[in-house]
Amino acid sequence: MSHEHHGGGGGPVAVAEGTPRIALVGSPNSGKSTLFNALSGLHAKTGNYPGVTVARYEGLVRTPAGAVVVEDLPGAYSLDPISPDEQVVDDVLDPDRPAPTTPDAILATVDATTLRRSLGLVAQVLSVGLPTTVIVTFTDELARRRGHLDLAALERALGVPVRGIAAGDPRAVGELRDHLDHAAHWARPVIPPPTDPDEVGGWISSVLESAGHRVPSVDARTQRIDAVLLHPVWGTIVFFVTMFLFFQVIFTVAAPLQDLVQSFFDRLSGLAQTYVPIGWLAAFLSQGLIGGVGAVIVFLPQIALLFILISLLEGTGYMSRAAFLMDRVMAKAGLEGRAFVALLSSLACAIPGIMATRSLPSAKDRLATMLAAPLMTCSARLPVYVMLISLLVPSGARVGPIGAQGAVMFLLYLGGAFASMGTAWFFSKVTGRRQGQLPFYMEMPPYRLPRLSTVLHAVWDACAAFLRKMTTIILGATVVMWLLMSLPMPSAQRLTDAGIDPADSAAVATYTLDHSAAAAVGKAIEPVFAPLGFDWRINIAVISSMTARETFVSTLGQVAAASDPQDPGTALERMTVDHGPRAGQPLFTPPVVASLMVFFMFALQCLSTMAVMRRETGTWKWPLIAWGYMFGLAWVLAFLTRLLVGAFG
């Protein structure tokens, strides 16, 4: 099956003129994106709460008669939009605003276990007048919970084709592909549903009665578990224990794999130094590429494990419970539950978190949440945190039975979450009162075993995105930083005059680095960062991290590789201050490392995030405000952290 896709801001799928276009419409958690993935072979993000699908996705679906374009629209409860994502759905389906991307037909997904609520959207979709097929999902769940629905009778009551699809039923998906070929000839209702809200309720009741609908019983197992997990006290305790164990696993399981990857790159760097005869090329390969990029790739096991755990929590249905618990916290902060959904999305990356604010009906709440989302600890911070924690806390250190490294990581994530919610509360007050409220629907699906394919796809997508970033942004930044740290190359006479033996490669590398263009930049901004304990080497790593936070690790990796290509990890730990009142003292002392952690917790070191924020707000004003307040917050708190750790260390 051939397929393509695009997300927000992408171009349409390139297809032959006249290819039918079908829109996929449904409320959040109705199985819409799962159906889209099954039809197109793509892997659109799904979740058990609204605001997850925040962009339009297109897939080219091969059918027996050719192909159709299926577009997965954002989840919507209504075609009366009061949030940007619902506005997208309304714009696409509005018959009064025809456009090249107007669909030729509609697939409307409804959850069999919440059918009464779903039919309100179906009534509005049928009033659009396009050929429509209703897809009833979770039919297996309905049967398991002793509910009932006659699909043939439902089809007669609605006057349009109805298809039932249970989870993971490839035969039903194949039959639906065949059905897509005949979209132009799908039956239409003889009498359209009423459009008056007072009449829609009666229409829904008559349709359900005609279809022999019986409401499913409450899932007993889910009810028993939720009595604990949704309890305001016990549920909160379980949530924090789960998150604590989450980060313990990241260190204990991934550390041995990281050591293997590190050993591989250390050996590769040594081979480059030994067997590449051209001096500058050997230095570029061992220090620039292998020392820089390899210093970041070694954290791939942690990235993979992070997304395995996130995918498992989402797949079991626990993430929706976590969102429900945090909804109470967000309410105390003056925001609604959808704000937490956006912040939760930022754990992977702030960019989808910022885009998820489209589900918020209030422009003021959208802006406040957007300005707070970058404070959530994204996966790009993970390599930085792992490196700094390794410098601060010995791998075997424990607090009773608990690993100290995992505990510090948990505190960093917790600190980012509290800072994010506190900032959202502050900006919600500063930017004014909310302009409107939309009821926050929170789906609580039965607990399920996650599908292995779903988990593997989520991990593969995350690792592939990480490696793409490594081979584009981080690789480019690494090459630039190597050039800045290697130029100007000193002549043999200059080395001799400085008392350096030109044959001593380690001494030459150190001298070149100390007198490079990068060193000049790092030393020029030392007055800004000196109160935090940063020297010029840390400064240039901080500057490079503006392209991508992981570049901080690769830059320090290059610095360490220049000192000792065979063992850059040890060289980094033993690095000393080379000038000033602290000359000769260890550089990465506990106060400095703690200061760095806090700085990265708060600083907005990501140009891509600023660009997306500019796109969402339509101006550079708010991205610049975000960068400014976060830098100020990062500097002040990092300074206080250094003083505090230094006083008690």
Side-chain angles (χ1 to χ4, degrees):
M1 183 192 307
S2 163
H3 48 71
E4 301 178 53
H5 80 285
H6 78 278
V13 170
V15 295
E17 186 176 352
T19 302
R21 177 177 291 271
I22 299 176
L24 191 55
V25 181
S27 60
N29 202 42
S30 64
K32 177 177 58 65
S33 293
T34 301
L35 177 62
F36 172 77
N37 292 338
L39 286 171
S40 66
L42 302 181
H43 310 296
K45 177 66 173 174
T46 59
N48 295 313
Y49 29 75
V52 175
T53 306
V54 294
R56 293 164 58 178
Y57 290 86
E58 291 183 357
L60 185 63
V61 179
R62 297 294 181 185
T63 64
V68 298
V69 174
V70 174
E71 182 174 11
D72 180 23
L73 297 177
Y77 291 105
S78 169
L79 296 187
D80 298 320
I82 53 175
S83 65
D85 53 356
E86 289 187 342
Q87 185 66 56
V88 169
V89 181
D90 183 61
D91 289 344
V92 172
L93 301 184
D94 190 343
D96 297 328
R97 283 182 281 184
T101 56
T102 298
D104 301 294
I106 300 172
L107 289 177
T109 59
V110 297
D111 183 347
T113 63
T114 58
L115 191 56
R116 177 175 291 276
R117 190 201 67 201
S118 302
L119 285 178
L121 178 62
V122 171
Q124 291 182 308
V125 168
L126 293 180
S127 68
V128 171
L130 293 172
T132 301
T133 289
V134 173
I135 307 297
V136 182
T137 59
F138 300 107
T139 53
D140 53 339
E141 190 73 33
L142 179 71
R144 187 179 70 82
R145 291 164 54 185
R146 297 184 295 280
H148 181 265
L149 179 65
D150 186 332
L151 294 179
L154 179 62
E155 181 171 307
R156 290 192 296 270
L158 294 175
V160 298
V162 173
R163 298 290 184 272
I165 293 185
D169 186 351
R171 183 180 62 82
V173 173
E175 291 175 354
L176 180 57
R177 280 201 193 93
D178 297 344
H179 181 64
L180 298 181
D181 276 329
H182 312 290
H185 306 291
W186 290 348
R188 307 192 189 197
V190 177
I191 302 176
T195 56
D196 188 299
D198 295 332
E199 299 175 359
V200 171
W203 177 81
I204 292 174
S205 296
S206 66
V207 168
L208 293 175
E209 183 178 355
S210 300
H213 179 253
R214 184 171 67 246
V215 177
S217 62
V218 176
D219 187 278
R221 179 185 58 184
T222 296
Q223 195 173 35
R224 288 194 301 269
I225 298 175
D226 279 348
V228 176
L229 296 188
L230 297 182
H231 190 276
V233 176
W234 300 116
T236 303
I237 293 174
V238 170
F239 172 73
F240 281 107
V241 169
T242 300
M243 293 298 103
F244 186 83
L245 294 176
F246 185 101
F247 296 111
Q248 288 291 318
V249 170
I250 285 180
F251 270 96
T252 56
V253 175
L257 297 175
Q258 182 186 358
D259 291 340
L260 289 175
V261 178
Q262 182 68 64
S263 299
F264 170 77
F265 279 103
D266 289 347
R267 179 171 176 76
L268 201 60
S269 178
L271 291 174
Q273 285 280 7
T274 303
Y275 292 104
V276 177
I278 305 174
W280 67 266
L281 181 58
F284 172 71
L285 292 175
S286 64
Q287 300 167 23
L289 286 183
I290 301 172
V293 175
V296 182
I297 291 183
V298 296
F299 298 104
L300 186 60
Q302 275 93 349
I303 297 290
L305 192 55
L306 172 70
F307 282 92
I308 287 175
L309 295 174
I310 289 176
S311 183
L312 288 174
L313 291 176
E314 288 182 344
T316 57
Y318 181 72
M319 276 300 194
S320 61
R321 274 76 183 177
F324 178 82
L325 287 170
M326 292 300 104
D327 178 41
R328 297 166 182 161
V329 177
M330 298 309 296
K332 294 182 183 299
L335 297 172
E336 53 181 278
R338 272 172 295 268
F340 176 74
V341 173
L343 297 181
L344 190 66
S345 302
S346 301
L347 282 177
C349 177
I351 290 174
I354 290 171
M355 294 173 65
T357 60
R358 297 175 189 174
S359 66
L360 294 168
S362 164
K364 300 296 183 183
D365 282 357
R366 282 200 300 276
L367 183 59
T369 309
M370 210 178 293
L371 291 170
L375 285 170
M376 293 293 287
T377 302
C378 63
S379 59
R381 285 184 174 97
L382 186 61
V384 179
Y385 283 170
V386 171
M387 184 193 75
L388 294 177
I389 290 172
S390 299
L391 289 173
L392 181 65
V393 182
S395 59
R398 309 189 74 79
V399 180
I402 300 169
Q405 290 185 333
V408 173
M409 178 71 81
F410 171 72
L411 292 175
L412 289 171
Y413 270 75
L414 193 64
F418 279 115
S420 182
M421 288 187 283
T423 303
W425 171 84
F426 173 79
F427 280 108
S428 71
K429 303 302 180 185
V430 170
T431 55
R433 298 177 61 86
R434 283 188 301 207
Q435 299 170 328
Q437 287 186 321
L438 178 68
F440 179 42
Y441 295 100
M442 178 65 68
E443 303 288 349
M444 292 296 166
Y447 292 97
R448 302 183 178 98
L449 287 175
R451 297 178 65 184
L452 180 60
S453 60
T454 302
V455 174
L456 292 178
H457 282 314
V459 177
W460 169 255
D461 288 346
C463 292
F466 178 72
L467 292 175
R468 280 195 301 271
K469 196 175 184 181
M470 285 298 313
T471 55
T472 53
I473 298 174
I474 296 175
L475 177 61
T478 297
V479 171
V480 170
M481 291 307 303
W482 181 83
L483 289 173
L484 291 176
M485 288 189 287
S486 302
L487 298 175
M489 290 185 177
S491 63
Q493 183 61 48
R494 182 180 175 185
L495 292 171
T496 302
D497 292 344
I500 304 296
D501 182 1
D504 187 343
S505 58
V508 171
T510 300
Y511 180 86
T512 302
L513 181 62
D514 290 346
H515 295 81
S516 65
V521 174
K523 291 172 182 177
I525 63 172
E526 266 191 325
V528 176
F529 292 106
L532 310 184
F534 303 174
D535 80 334
W536 66 268
R537 289 163 292 188
I538 296 177
N539 293 345
I540 61 174
V542 168
I543 293 174
S544 71
S545 68
M546 286 293 294
T547 56
R549 287 185 177 93
E550 300 95 332
T551 311
F552 176 84
V553 178
S554 67
T555 301
L556 286 182
Q558 291 181 78
V559 172
S563 303
D564 185 358
Q566 303 296 328
D567 191 2
T570 301
L572 190 66
E573 294 175 5
R574 295 176 179 174
M575 202 169 288
T576 58
V577 180
D578 60 0
H579 68 281
R582 292 179 57 217
Q585 298 179 15
L587 174 59
F588 291 103
T589 60
V592 172
V593 175
S595 177
L596 265 170
M597 287 180 182
V598 172
F599 184 83
F600 270 90
M601 182 190 298
F602 290 97
L604 179 53
Q605 303 293 99
C606 183
L607 293 177
S608 298
T609 298
M610 294 181 66
V612 170
M613 193 180 296
R614 188 264 170 209
R615 188 183 70 189
E616 294 296 310
T617 61
T619 174
W620 278 107
K621 170 187 173 182
W622 293 110
L624 291 175
I625 288 175
W627 189 90
Y629 98 79
M630 290 180 69
F631 180 84
L633 201 60
W635 194 98
V636 170
L637 294 179
F639 175 70
L640 294 176
T641 299
R642 186 194 178 201
L643 293 181
L644 187 65
V645 175
F648 292 96

